[in-house]
Amino acid sequence: MKPEVSRAVLEAPGPWVHRRISASGASFHVADAGPEDASFAVILLHSFPMTWWTWREVIPAFTQAGIRTIAMDLRGFGTSDLAPGEVELTQLATDVAGVASALGISSYTVVGNGMGGVVAWMLGALKPAGLQAIVPVCAPHPLGLHFLRGLSSRGRGRWFQALLSRRPRVTFFSSRSAWIDRSISQWAAPFNREEMLENAEVYREALSRHIAVRSAWESLRATFRPSFSSKNVLTRSVTVPVLSIQARDDGLWSHVDFADDVQATSGEFTMRAISECGHFPQEENPQALIQAILPFVKESADFTAESQL
């Protein structure tokens, strides 16, 4: 596959500008939309095994509300740098803060789905300058009492547990489409799976890049099996406001897995559940997700504006 063909597919045109950002010793791709001179932005982090493109239906709603919106390819995904070596959860969070700084964003709220939500939790623990709030979407806190507990006895989580436990072998590279199809088939709501699979070609293309499967696996494992040093950071209480979003038909997590999220926070904490979608609300029911999180993000933006007066 020629790189230029991949880039045309993976950085599709739209009401956004594609940028290459150098931060944390790597190069990252972001789709930048809305007022570029805004001091506040919302940063959107995708789930596994997707890319920034998963937010395509959400981005316009934020920009129409006057909010600068940055959808980012995490390290190891999309057209951001790919690296086969080990990745730390703290590194993934530092990447996000570095991208915000490089873009001149002084204040931001992070919305992350799945593994992107785990990165948001880590950002909340690290509390980098400028972070106003976090919105983990279908992402329990990684140190929660029930996190990963019982997955091996639940059919829906058995494959995920195996995926985290075994480093992909060379023969596994040929099954990259299976990563996409199986995660969607098991985690999306049953009534949304067919349409999502039909629209997943961008993600299959992304994993066809050289070493993309290995790089994606390293970043995924860093989020759901954090290292000892990352766990130590995660013990810090999250002081910024948190809006935790659950999906009623999530094929990976149940409400039990989110039970201890509030214990990880010492500031404002809100939990909301949305219906008619599974693990990927931004694609399965984007309007419900927008309605759930846009007022919260706007409050963060208003707070930033008031603090600068």
Side-chain angles (χ1 to χ4, degrees):
M1 181 187 61
K2 296 181 180 180
E4 61 269 24
V5 175
S6 176
R7 183 64 56 85
V9 173
L10 301 185
E11 299 181 8
W16 43 68
V17 176
H18 293 287
R19 303 189 189 281
R20 305 298 306 177
I21 307 298
S22 295
S24 300
S27 176
F28 297 92
H29 162 255
V30 303
D32 186 351
E36 294 182 16
D37 59 348
S39 59
F40 174 87
V42 59
I43 299 178
L44 307 176
L45 306 179
H46 59 81
S47 51
F48 171 86
M50 289 149 175
T51 69
W52 74 276
W53 180 244
T54 195
W55 299 103
R56 61 193 178 277
E57 300 293 337
V58 174
I59 294 172
F62 284 104
T63 57
Q64 288 167 15
I67 299 171
R68 186 178 184 183
T69 306
I70 309 296
M72 176 179 170
D73 280 338
L74 291 167
R75 183 184 292 255
F77 290 85
T79 57
S80 288
D81 273 0
L82 308 180
E86 291 186 4
V87 178
E88 287 278 345
L89 178 53
T90 49
Q91 178 67 70
L92 295 173
T94 301
D95 291 343
V96 178
V99 165
S101 178
L103 285 167
I105 298 168
S106 59
S107 179
Y108 58 96
T109 286
V110 174
V111 178
N113 173 225
M115 65 173 288
V118 178
V119 176
W121 278 115
M122 175 57 86
L123 280 161
L126 289 171
K127 190 62 169 67
L131 181 68
Q132 296 300 313
I134 62 171
V135 184
V137 178
C138 299
H141 188 277
L143 295 188
L145 177 64
H146 307 282
F147 189 79
L148 291 177
R149 178 175 294 181
L151 277 179
S152 59
S153 62
R154 270 194 302 220
R156 65 185 185 177
R158 198 169 296 151
W159 171 72
F160 185 52
Q161 194 79 292
L163 179 64
L164 293 173
S165 300
R166 293 183 295 179
R167 186 182 299 272
R169 296 170 296 183
V170 173
T171 55
F172 192 70
F173 280 70
S174 62
S175 64
R176 52 184 174 263
S177 290
W179 273 29
I180 309 294
D181 296 349
R182 197 164 186 180
S183 59
I184 290 175
S185 296
Q186 292 196 3
W187 303 345
F191 42 85
N192 294 325
R193 291 170 185 166
E194 184 175 350
E195 183 177 359
M196 281 198 66
L197 288 169
E198 290 174 354
N199 294 322
E201 192 56 38
V202 171
Y203 311 130
R204 298 186 186 101
E205 183 83 356
L207 282 185
S208 71
R209 295 179 68 198
H210 179 58
I211 73 168
V213 169
R214 178 66 57 80
S215 294
W217 182 85
E218 292 288 355
S219 291
L220 173 71
R221 196 168 188 269
T223 55
F224 288 109
R225 287 192 181 278
S227 67
F228 180 78
S229 60
S230 290
K231 286 180 179 179
N232 280 341
V233 176
L234 286 166
T235 61
R236 303 174 189 171
S237 182
V238 176
T239 59
V240 298
V242 178
L243 172 60
S244 178
I245 300 292
Q246 297 181 36
R248 296 191 188 279
D249 296 296
D250 192 333
L252 183 58
W253 309 118
S254 73
H255 70 280
V256 175
D257 298 299
F258 296 81
D260 293 318
D261 280 9
V262 66
Q263 304 300 324
T265 69
S266 58
E268 174 188 339
F269 178 83
T270 306
M271 183 173 286
R272 293 194 62 181
I274 55 179
S275 59
E276 299 183 10
C277 63
H279 190 66
F280 313 101
Q282 67 278 5
E283 296 203 34
E284 299 181 61
N285 194 350
Q287 291 307 311
L289 181 63
I290 291 165
Q291 291 174 10
I293 66 179
L294 183 55
F296 180 81
V297 173
K298 289 176 71 174
E299 282 186 18
S300 300
D302 292 342
F303 175 80
T304 298
E306 290 174 4
S307 66
Q308 293 177 344
L309 293 177

